[in-house]
Structure formats: structure tokens, C-alpha cells
Amino acid sequence: MISIVTRTTFMFFLVMFALRVMGKKNLGEFQPSDFVSTMLISNLTSIVIEAPELPILYSVIPILLIVCYEIFTSIAAKKNDKFAKITQGSPKILIVKGIIDQKVMSELRFTVNDILEAMRSKNIFYLEEVNLAVVETTGQISIYPDPNSKTNINKADIPPFDIVVDGKYRNKNLDYIGISKQQTEKILNQENICAEDILLLLIDGDKNYNLTLKELV
Amino acid sequence: MKIFRFSLILFLTIIISSVLCSFYIRDNLSFYNIYLKNIESIDKNIEMAKKEYALLKSDFYTKKDMLQRFINKEHINEIEKNILLIENAIINNELTECQNLSIETQCLITQIIDYTTAID
């Protein structure tokens, strides 16, 4: 038992040291390589704690080696832009002036829900309010709101809800807005399109809508 | 740059020490195999077998702790068990059994060398 206690204590401080040397503060800042290193380190740590018959070096050496590789890759990425692009990727512009770049969206395998979620987390509910949305290399979406949006958009009491996403109706959201499916179809008829062609239809409480059609990507 | 130098030194230390460790393990375990081969090849001479066995045993127990730092303890225990079985066979004058156990231990040691030093 004492062996497990000493091993756990030793591994705890070793992993603390490893993460400190790698210089990461929280999971949100993780690049793919950081994530891989952290995953591997956590697995390697558990190996010797769970199996006291294994020499502690079986975990210590791979952990230290991973720390070295992590430092080498981050320094190489700092020195060489091409290498950085390969290992960390590059930020991608997802929305420009309220228009979703569907090519980038499918490239990154993002869904409309991911975009709406990121907007909501920044207190943005209207797509028109987004001047620029960038997907960072960490996977987070950074949004620069339109500085004029507060004056240009007539906001309703009920914020816009996603009524049609990827050609499918969200029946629950129709009730929130207080609009029927028939009324929505009427709007679509006026625009001369069918639901299957829509990537995203947002309607707010005042029945103002924002329509994004599917593009062939 | 300080961190780079530190990691470079650490990396080189790991690489060099792991190569040295591999040689250390292989050399020591191969040494046991030589003793065991001698025990295996001794026909009808139990006294010679005893001599070889005494050398093997003392060498094994001298280096056991060190080897445990690099090799799975279960493997070391298996070798130890076989060594004690060989001792038992020698005490009971069972030379054939002793030879069989030597062959078995050699196979085990070769396997351990493969596990710890081979690059697959």
C-alpha cells in the first residue's frame, strides 16, 4: 500500500511539473498537441499507480519524453509558420457580416447549433449582429459584434429562435415564438423556397426573420 | 531558450540512458543465460551443476534489486521461481529436471530481453 501512496505522490508532482514546464493554464487554451500530451500523460500516470509490479520508470520516462516533444513542437511552431499551420492549424473565418461561410463550416464539421451556441454565449442572438466570427485553433469561436447593430436592428421582446435548421423544422421553437408551421410555410412561399433548401431560419417575436440558404459545398 | 536547452538536455539524457539501460538489461540477462546453458549441458555431473548454480544464484541476488528498476517485477519473480526450482532439482539429484528447468528459464529470459530491448 505504501508503494501506491509514494507512487501516486511522486506521479502527482511529476505531472504538475510536466504541465508547468509545458506552460498551460487551462483546458480551453489547449492546442491539439497539448491535448494529446495531456491525454497521454494522464494515461501513463495511471499505469504505474495501478500496477505496482511495473517499474516507476515505465511512466516517468515516457512522460518526460512527451514533455520534451511538446516543448520542441511548440518552439518549432514559433519559429516556423508552416510547421505551426501543420501542427496547430490556423484560425478560420466562419461568419462575415452575418453571412455564414458554409464551406468553412463543413470543413470544420461545425453544425448550425455550434454557431448559435457560440453566439448566445456572447449575448448575441441576431445573426446580423455578428460582424466577424473566427474559429480559433483551440476550437473556440471568437465573435466581433457589429458596432452599429444596436442602432440598426429592431430587437423584439422575444429573441430569434431557430425555426428551420438544415431543412428540418424545430417544432418546439415555433411555440416559443408563437408562430404556426403554416405561417412559416407562408413566409417561405413568399420567398419562393422550400424548407429543404434552408440551412437556417431564425424568427424573432416580432416575426422578423433571417434566412440562410444551403449552398452546394 | 532556457526551457529549450533544459528540454534538449533532458531529451538527450533520456535517449542515452535508455540505450544504456537496454544494454545493461541485455548484458545481465544474457549472462544468466550463459550460466543456464552450462547447467543444461552438464551431463551426469551434479557437482558441476551445483557450482554453476551457486554462481548463477549469487549473481542474480546481487543484481535483483537493480534489475527490478527496469524490468517488470513479475518477470523477475518468474526467473527467481525457476532458479529456486533448479536448486530443488539439484538437491534431489534430478539432473534431467534441472536441465529442463534451465531450458525453460533460458526461454523466459530470451522473451524478457525481447520485451525490454527489442524495437518493434
Side-chain angles (χ1 to χ4, degrees):
Chain A
M1 206 62 186
I2 193 78
S3 157
I4 293 170
V5 173
T6 42
R7 274 165 183 249
T8 312
T9 313
F10 179 76
M11 292 314 290
F12 173 77
F13 286 107
L14 182 79
V15 174
M16 283 278 283
F17 165 77
L19 292 178
R20 186 73 192 81
V21 169
M22 288 197 298
K24 302 302 156 199
K25 283 178 194 140
N26 63 51
L27 277 168
E29 293 174 15
F30 275 19
Q31 298 288 348
S33 63
D34 305 331
F35 184 68
V36 170
S37 322
T38 315
M39 287 265 290
L40 285 175
I41 286 174
S42 66
N43 280 334
L44 285 165
T45 309
S46 61
I47 289 173
V48 289
I49 294 173
E50 284 169 6
E53 72 276 5
L54 288 177
I56 203 160
L57 284 176
Y58 279 28
S59 282
V60 173
I61 289 174
I63 287 175
L64 292 178
L65 209 56
I66 287 166
V67 171
C68 290
Y69 288 142
E70 167 61 28
I71 292 166
F72 291 156
T73 49
S74 59
I75 288 171
K78 207 173 156 190
K79 299 262 175 206
N80 189 322
D81 283 347
K82 264 188 188 170
F83 186 78
K85 217 173 170 184
I86 293 166
T87 55
Q88 297 171 357
S90 54
K92 297 247 159 78
I93 295 170
L94 189 62
I95 303 172
V96 181
K97 291 194 189 298
I99 296 163
I100 301 169
D101 188 334
Q102 292 181 39
K103 203 177 164 190
V104 172
M105 197 176 102
S106 76
E107 213 175 272
L108 298 173
R109 288 180 298 281
F110 266 58
T111 61
V112 172
N113 287 333
D114 295 328
I115 299 170
L116 294 175
E117 207 179 294
M119 281 168 53
R120 284 196 296 265
S121 70
K122 305 271 188 307
N123 286 328
I124 295 171
F125 290 86
Y126 289 85
L127 203 56
E128 302 93 307
E129 276 185 281
V130 181
N131 198 2
L132 193 75
V134 180
V135 182
E136 304 296 350
T137 51
T138 54
Q140 284 181 323
I141 301 176
S142 304
I143 296 173
Y144 177 66
D146 189 345
N148 304 318
S149 67
K150 278 178 188 162
T151 48
N152 288 348
I153 300 169
N154 296 319
K155 289 183 181 174
D157 291 338
I158 303 167
F161 276 86
D162 41 330
I163 301 300
V164 181
V165 175
D166 221 356
K168 288 180 190 90
Y169 277 95
R170 297 267 165 103
N171 293 324
K172 235 183 190 176
N173 292 350
L174 287 167
D175 299 336
Y176 291 134
I177 302 295
I179 193 170
S180 66
K181 203 173 174 181
Q182 285 75 23
Q183 280 175 297
T184 316
E185 276 166 357
K186 209 175 163 187
I187 295 170
L188 297 182
N189 285 336
Q190 277 171 6
E191 294 282 345
N192 210 12
I193 43 170
C194 58
E196 286 75 35
D197 300 329
I198 297 170
L199 176 76
L200 177 65
L201 174 65
L202 294 167
I203 304 179
D204 69 7
D206 290 347
K207 314 288 181 289
N208 297 317
Y209 61 90
N210 179 297
L211 195 60
T212 308
L213 291 175
K214 280 183 195 172
E215 282 170 16
L216 287 172
V217 284
Chain B
M1 268 304 115
K2 210 168 129 189
I3 199 101
F4 175 71
R5 244 177 267 145
F6 164 75
S7 55
L8 190 67
I9 292 165
L10 183 66
F11 176 73
L12 292 174
T13 314
I14 290 169
I15 298 296
I16 293 164
S17 53
S18 60
V19 170
L20 291 176
C21 275
S22 290
F23 280 120
Y24 176 80
I25 294 166
R26 203 175 56 192
D27 290 351
N28 277 286
L29 293 180
S30 308
F31 213 56
Y32 299 149
N33 261 353
I34 295 168
Y35 285 128
L36 290 162
K37 248 182 208 146
N38 289 342
I39 294 172
E40 180 206 326
S41 57
I42 290 161
D43 290 325
K44 292 174 189 171
N45 191 344
I46 205 81
E47 285 309 311
M48 282 289 282
K50 271 183 190 171
K51 259 187 198 170
E52 285 295 325
Y53 173 76
L55 287 171
L56 167 70
K57 196 180 171 185
S58 71
D59 197 61
F60 176 76
Y61 282 106
T62 321
K63 286 168 184 166
K64 189 187 160 191
D65 283 348
M66 192 57 167
L67 284 171
Q68 270 182 350
R69 292 200 178 106
F70 307 115
I71 303 170
N72 190 337
K73 275 176 197 150
E74 275 178 5
H75 288 149
I76 298 286
N77 289 346
E78 268 181 75
I79 297 174
E80 191 176 10
K81 192 182 92 188
N82 278 16
I83 287 174
L84 293 174
L85 284 171
I86 293 171
E87 187 179 30
N88 195 43
I90 289 172
I91 290 167
N92 295 329
N93 280 334
E94 291 165 346
L95 203 59
T96 327
E97 175 69 5
C98 178
Q99 283 170 332
N100 288 341
L101 281 166
S102 312
I103 295 166
E104 205 181 291
T105 318
Q106 281 177 64
C107 291
L108 181 67
I109 288 173
T110 319
Q111 232 178 43
I112 297 166
I113 292 173
D114 277 352
Y115 284 152
T116 49
T117 60
I119 302 166
D120 0 34

